[in-house]
Structures are given as C-alpha cells and as structure tokens.
Amino acid sequence: MRLEVESRPLKDIAVIVPELYQDDRGFFMETYRADQFRELGLPIDFVQDNHSRSVKGVLRGLHFQWDPPMGKLMRVPFGSAFLVAVDLRKDSPTLGRWAGVECSAENRRQVWAPAGFARGFCVLSDAAEIQYKCTGMYNGKAESGILWNDPAIGINWPVTDPILSEKDTRARTLADWLASPESNFFVSHSAAGSGTGFGLAV
C-alpha cells in the first residue's frame, strides 16, 4: 500500500496521506513504512510514540524541543483537529512562517514537521486524539513553547477563545525565543522561499 505526499508547505513540512483499503467489514491502512518514507526523503528513525486526547476547543502549543532535536509525525486517528507548525530556524528563509492543516480520521492526513519547528493543534470535533511519532526522546530541560497568538506569527486559528494550559498561556514570543542562546540549536540551509506570515490551510 502506498503513502502519498499530498503537499510540502514551507518546503520542509510534508502532508502525507496513506492509501486505504475499505470494505463492508471496515478498513486497513499502513500509516508508516520505513522503505517508503526513505524513498520520499522522510525520516525513518523514530524513537518515541505519544498519544493524547483533548476535548473541543482545546489548543495545545506551540511546543518544541532542542536537545535532542525532536521532529514529529502527527496524525488524528479519532475526531478532527487543526495542526500547525511554525519555522523557528534562525537562518531559514521561512523563519516565522506557519502552515496549518486540518487533519481527521476521515481524511487520514498526517503532518511531518522536522526539528526546528514549533508544533501545536486545536480540536475541532467534540473530542480528538492525536498520535505523534518522534525522532527524539522527551527532555523536559530542553523544551519550550511559543505563544499561540503571537502577532509576529499571525496564525489564523479556527478558534478565538481556546482552552489553554497555564503553561501555554505563559509561553514566550518568537522574538524572545530568537534572542535566547538556545535558538542557535536550530539551523537550516534551505534556499527556498521568503517572507513571513504565510499560512496554508488544506
């Protein structure tokens, strides 16, 4: 069964849709295959799987980790959610730009966002479950967050009054992050794209 890259927003993000086999008994799909990920230029060395459940209106993010660097492959096996990634890499031509993708159990979309991106989501259905495959193991001493509504980024969230954790309400701005020494952990040598404030909703 094939895994298709539907789009590549900000060049380094990938929206992936697995092929589905379905009949009157139900369905089957392969959500990850190392051989096909390698062919598509995507990572294959995932070391941790996470699974969360949230109710409608919950917004989690924007989270990231710099040591070890953590990329995430995110999918929504139950419900629907708006998944967002923001480029934090200081030398990237897409620094501060964001991509947002509605993912659901029905559309089967998965979003790969490499290390150097902050990630978050808000729940659109009554409840939603999010699964992540991570390229780094969690380290609470080297993780942080960017404020969900930082005007310097300008994410067009489909919710105006989200349910937030106390930690997320106190997250730093993009400017604060870029002024910190830890921001030097994230670099990119991509030559594609330019500008700020970009959003992709698909």
Side-chain angles (χ1 to χ4, degrees), residues 47-53 65 70-75 77 129-138:
V47 298
Q48 181 174 319
D49 282 7
N50 301 336
H51 189 154
S52 72
R53 181 181 176 95
Q65 177 175 300
M70 182 186 288
K72 290 182 180 178
L73 175 66
M74 302 167 285
R75 60 185 295 260
E129 296 183 9
I130 316 295
Q131 292 182 335
Y132 318 75
K133 295 183 79 66
C134 305
T135 60
M137 293 185 185
Y138 175 71

Side-chain angles (χ1 to χ4, degrees), residues 5 8-9 33 87 108 119 137 145 149-150 155 164 172:
V5 173
R8 291 187 181 267
R33 277 186 53 154
D87 192 349
R108 310 188 309 282
R119 289 151 295 234
M137 293 185 185
N149 60 350
D150 184 348
I155 297 171
L164 300 165
R172 65 176 86 183

Side-chain angles (χ1 to χ4, degrees), residues 57 59 81-84 98 102 121-124 148 155-161:
L59 190 153
F82 186 67
L83 275 55
V84 170
W98 64 276
E102 184 175 340
F121 66 85
C122 66
V123 176
L124 305 176
W148 71 280
I155 297 171
N156 186 24
W157 293 101
V159 59
T160 56
D161 188 23

Side-chain angles (χ1 to χ4, degrees), residues 23-24 30 40 92 101 103 201:
D23 60 21
D24 55 4
E30 297 173 345
L40 295 168
S92 170
V101 182
C103 298

Side-chain angles (χ1 to χ4, degrees), residues 21-41:
Y21 176 78
Q22 189 168 14
D23 60 21
D24 55 4
R25 301 170 299 159
F27 72 86
F28 175 83
M29 61 181 173
E30 297 173 345
T31 60
Y32 168 73
R33 277 186 53 154
D35 59 342
Q36 292 191 41
F37 267 54
R38 186 183 292 109
E39 290 173 9
L40 295 168

